[in-house]
Amino acid sequence: MLILAYIILALVAIYLLIYLYKKNFSVKTQLEEFKRDWGSPKNSRYIDIDLIENYFLNTINESSQKLQLISDKIADDLYLNDIFKLIDRTTSRIGQQFLYARLRTIDKDQTDLVFLDKFADTITADEKLRLDTQMTLQLLEKNDSYYFQDLVYAKKIEAPEFMPIVYILSLLNVLCLIVSIFHPGFLLVFFGIFIINSGIHYWNKNKVSVHTSSLGEFLKAFETAKKLDADVKISSSFPETAALLKELTPLKRKMLGVKLDNMAEADTVMIGYMLFELLKIAFNVEIILFYSIIDSLRSKKEALKNLFKFIGTVDTAISIASLRHSWEGEYCKPVFNQENCMDITGVKHPLIVSCVPNDLDLQHKNLLLTGSNMSGKTTFIRSVGVNMVLGQTLFTCMAKKFSMPYSRIFSSITIADSLLEDKSYYFEEMRIIKNFIEESVSEEPCFFILDEIFKGTNTIERVSAGKAILSYLAKNNNFVFVSTHDTELNELLKTEYDHYHFSETIAEEELVFDHTIKKGPLKTRNAIRILEINNYPASVIADANATVDLMMKD
């Protein structure tokens, strides 16, 4: 017998040593991965934007403190979902959701933006802090953590009408168990009630299964926040977290009594878990606790929001620090001016590899941009628009210098006909620009981006309407960027707009684009030269040049 005991103890010791070795090896491996991947985009080929944006969609109704929520139209025009995939370096799913919401939200107050920048600098300066924090955030890296925000924003869940019967059955089984000590026959009654309770238990489990995942994620989020707050540098930056955790501790204790799908992930706890499950069925523990927790959640709604925000802010700051590391020498922090001026040096588009940097200086003037197709007009105005968003949401721009007014952003770049909705390009553009006009008179300055305004109409009406609308939008400290092929607008808008252009050259019968913005209006006739390169008839070329000369005289 003694030998058997020694063998068991030896096996237990071996198991523990193997477990500790694997755990230590896993930690070291993960730390090496975090070091190796610092400053690099994630390797995941597919991310579920629908799950990621749920938090953003749920916060739309809390927009009273927001200057602007970036609409789907603007997000599509500026390819913000692709931008998000590039800049997302978060570890947790909560951080990923929070980062996405930040990218789609411009706050009225810059306090949170400045705080985020300061904490990103703290992370950058302390590698150990960053690595320890990333290891802690790993607890929330699985997709189930996307559902934590459902605790705050889910629709109200009502308890079933037969809850009084549930309480009576639970009490009866307690009494049966006690009485059976003296009268074993009552065990039959106990098991009879157990069968009834089993039906109630699994009925309720099926009904609320969608919510139990989010309850389990709260426990993970709570533990993550607790570990994060244990670090002095983090707790000093978020002094309110200790009180927040204290407020949520009773809720955490209550949740431990509910069966959650992720509580039995390890084989070593399966037996204990099964015994606990039988106990919960016998006395209706889970259904009673579940609806008690739901009531508690309603009273702790703001605390849960703050818990999500705390974890999300920490993870987002790490993502920003990583992004800045990868853009080393190519990024700057924005300067927000009150003078309705824009001074930009070396701006690039984050999605374009080997993008040509460009400069722009506008002093109380707007931008009228001309140039041929493929010369870079639309890419440039998108570059400025994207960096306006990044500057006002993540305090980071892909430029050497980016001075701009803190403003709302609107765009009209990608517009399509809709046969299903019976909407033409022209009427869709009319609707969008009508909204611009309505927004342009607000107290806050607006930044309007327009690409090829009214290109679906004839030249005379297009130029006339374009001039009137562009002059109107330029009022009230607004900024307007418009790209166009209509050189007639240069003279008509010379008092309100500075003229810039993109151009190309023809070398060895090929078009060469330098993608560099230049001061002044476009004056070249390369469109006709391209006809020559493609061997159009000489008579067509001569006729085209003669028509241009005639129009220039007029």
Side-chain angles (χ1 to χ4, degrees):
M1 184 66 68
L2 186 61
I3 295 175
L4 180 61
Y6 284 140
I7 292 174
I8 294 173
L9 287 174
L11 291 174
V12 170
I14 292 171
Y15 173 82
L16 290 174
L17 288 173
I18 293 174
Y19 172 78
L20 291 173
Y21 173 78
K22 287 183 176 179
K23 184 177 181 180
N24 186 54
F25 179 78
S26 177
V27 169
K28 287 184 178 180
T29 301
Q30 187 59 64
L31 285 172
E32 289 302 317
E33 286 183 8
F34 283 139
K35 290 180 181 179
R36 182 195 65 212
D37 295 339
W38 182 241
S40 301
K42 290 182 178 179
N43 294 323
S44 55
R45 296 182 179 180
Y46 173 78
I47 62 173
D48 193 332
I49 287 293
D50 290 337
L51 280 175
I52 293 170
E53 73 172 351
N54 276 342
Y55 173 70
F56 167 70
L57 295 176
N58 283 326
T59 59
I60 287 177
N61 294 329
E62 303 171 353
S63 59
S64 60
Q65 299 303 314
K66 311 301 182 185
L67 181 66
Q68 182 189 19
L69 296 174
I70 303 297
S71 69
D72 290 341
K73 173 67 174 67
I74 300 169
D76 289 342
D77 278 349
L78 300 180
Y79 303 134
L80 286 189
N81 282 351
D82 292 316
I83 294 291
F84 172 77
K85 292 174 185 178
L86 174 70
I87 67 176
D88 175 27
R89 319 292 169 85
T90 55
T91 302
S92 70
R93 298 311 185 203
I94 288 177
Q96 194 176 41
Q97 289 178 314
F98 188 82
L99 173 63
Y100 185 86
R102 283 280 338 155
L103 189 63
R104 296 284 299 270
T105 305
I106 299 176
D107 295 327
K108 283 184 180 179
D109 193 325
Q110 298 173 26
T111 302
D112 286 349
L113 183 62
V114 173
F115 175 84
L116 194 60
D117 167 60
K118 183 178 179 181
F119 193 68
D121 286 344
T122 300
I123 292 292
T124 301
D126 192 332
E127 183 184 51
K128 184 179 184 306
L129 172 65
R130 187 254 299 176
L131 292 172
D132 290 345
T133 303
Q134 286 180 293
M135 290 296 295
T136 299
L137 290 168
Q138 262 202 310
L139 186 62
L140 299 169
E141 71 170 351
K142 293 185 178 180
N143 286 351
D144 285 348
S145 294
Y146 283 134
Y147 300 102
F148 170 60
Q149 55 93 33
D150 288 345
L151 285 179
V152 182
Y153 298 102
K155 293 181 180 179
K156 185 177 180 181
I157 306 170
E158 298 291 349
E161 294 181 357
F162 57 79
M163 277 303 292
I165 297 176
V166 172
Y167 289 112
I168 292 172
L169 290 172
S170 301
L171 180 61
L172 285 175
N173 246 7
V174 170
L175 293 175
C176 286
L177 196 62
I178 294 173
V179 174
S180 66
I181 298 174
F182 308 100
H183 303 282
F186 273 89
L187 285 175
L188 294 176
V189 180
F190 175 87
F191 286 116
I193 296 175
F194 179 88
I195 293 172
I196 298 173
N197 287 350
S198 296
I200 294 173
H201 176 84
Y202 287 107
W203 173 87
N204 182 71
K205 187 182 297 295
N206 182 62
K207 180 185 176 184
V208 302
S209 60
V210 68
H211 305 290
T212 54
S213 292
S214 56
L215 291 177
E217 294 312 307
F218 164 75
L219 297 175
K220 290 182 181 180
F222 184 92
E223 290 304 314
T224 299
K226 187 176 180 180
K227 290 179 181 179
L228 292 175
D229 189 59
D231 188 282
V232 175
K233 288 189 177 180
I234 295 180
S235 60
S236 62
S237 296
F238 299 86
E240 69 284 353
T241 304
L244 174 65
L245 293 172
K246 184 177 181 181
E247 180 183 355
L248 289 172
T249 296
L251 181 61
K252 175 212 169 187
R253 290 171 181 163
K254 186 180 290 188
M255 283 189 182
L256 290 175
V258 181
K259 186 274 175 190
L260 303 168
D261 291 338
N262 53 15
M263 287 182 66
E265 290 176 349
D267 293 337
T268 54
V269 300
M270 182 61 72
I271 296 177
Y273 159 74
M274 291 301 297
L275 293 174
F276 187 49
E277 184 77 355
L278 293 173
L279 185 65
K280 289 190 295 179
I281 292 173
F283 302 107
N284 287 320
V285 172
E286 185 167 309
I287 186 172
I288 292 172
L289 275 178
F290 178 82
Y291 290 104
S292 175
I293 288 170
I294 293 300
D295 290 337
S296 299
L297 286 173
R298 292 169 188 162
S299 65
K300 300 297 182 184
K301 191 171 183 178
E302 290 304 315
L304 289 170
K305 289 181 185 178
N306 290 332
L307 181 66
F308 189 102
K309 184 178 179 181
F310 166 59
I311 296 171
T313 300
V314 171
D315 206 357
T316 295
I318 294 175
S319 188
I320 292 173
S322 177
L323 177 68
R324 290 174 177 176
H325 181 78
S326 65
W327 287 358
E328 191 67 40
E330 295 184 310
Y331 88 91
C332 69
K333 298 179 182 181
V335 175
F336 302 123
N337 64 66
Q338 305 293 326
E339 302 172 356
N340 200 33
C341 299
M342 189 169 288
D343 187 4
I344 302 171
T345 303
V347 67
K348 292 183 178 182
H349 196 295
L351 296 177
I352 298 178
V353 179
S354 302
C355 183
V356 175
N358 275 293
D359 304 341
L360 183 67
D361 186 10
L362 297 175
Q363 301 296 321
H364 308 286
K365 285 285 191 77
N366 302 285
L367 175 67
L368 183 65
L369 189 59
T370 52
S372 63
N373 292 331
M374 301 185 296
S375 61
K377 302 190 309 299
T378 305
T379 297
F380 177 76
I381 60 177
R382 274 198 172 107
S383 298
V384 175
V386 164
N387 280 286
M388 287 280 286
V389 172
L390 291 174
Q392 295 179 113
T393 59
L394 304 182
F395 212 70
T396 305
C397 297
M398 195 174 197
K400 297 293 182 65
K401 178 182 181 182
F402 207 103
S403 177
M404 62 179 177
Y406 196 80
S407 59
R408 297 187 299 158
I409 300 169
F410 299 91
S411 64
S412 176
I413 299 177
T414 304
I415 303 174
D417 293 334
S418 177
L419 295 177
L420 295 178
E421 297 181 12
D422 194 24
K423 291 181 180 179
S424 70
Y425 177 97
Y426 179 74
F427 281 102
E428 181 65 10
E429 187 176 25
M430 288 298 99
R431 184 190 65 78
I432 292 171
I433 294 180
K434 175 66 182 306
N435 179 62
F436 285 10
I437 290 174
E438 293 170 350
E439 296 288 354
S440 69
V441 297
S442 63
E443 294 180 2
E444 299 88 1
C446 300
F447 176 59
F448 298 107
I449 305 173
L450 302 97
D451 186 39
E452 301 296 341
I453 186 171
F454 298 152
K455 64 182 179 183
T457 57
N458 65 72
T459 302
I460 294 176
E461 289 187 316
R462 181 173 67 245
V463 172
S464 300
K467 188 274 174 190
I469 289 170
L470 292 173
S471 292
Y472 189 93
L473 293 177
K475 300 175 182 178
N476 302 323
N477 293 321
N478 296 320
F479 246 120
V480 185
F481 275 29
V482 58
S483 70
T484 181
H485 284 101
D486 295 321
T487 56
E488 299 90 340
L489 290 172
N490 288 332
E491 184 65 24
L492 295 174
L493 294 170
K494 63 182 180 181
T495 59
E496 301 141 296
Y497 288 76
D498 274 348
H499 304 141
Y500 284 80
H501 71 275
F502 282 87
S503 60
E504 68 285 332
T505 57
I506 299 177
E508 297 180 357
E509 302 301 300
E510 289 186 1
L511 286 173
V512 178
F513 297 99
D514 61 12
H515 302 299
T516 300
I517 194 170
K518 304 170 184 68
K519 181 78 171 178
L522 180 67
K523 297 180 179 179
T524 59
R525 298 186 190 178
N526 282 338
I528 297 177
R529 180 74 178 95
I530 293 172
L531 299 181
E532 294 182 62
I533 293 175
N534 286 277
N535 298 315
Y536 274 61
S539 59
V540 172
I541 306 301
D543 194 358
N545 279 316
T547 302
V548 170
D549 291 336
L550 180 62
M551 293 177 67
M552 293 296 289
K553 288 179 182 179
D554 294 340

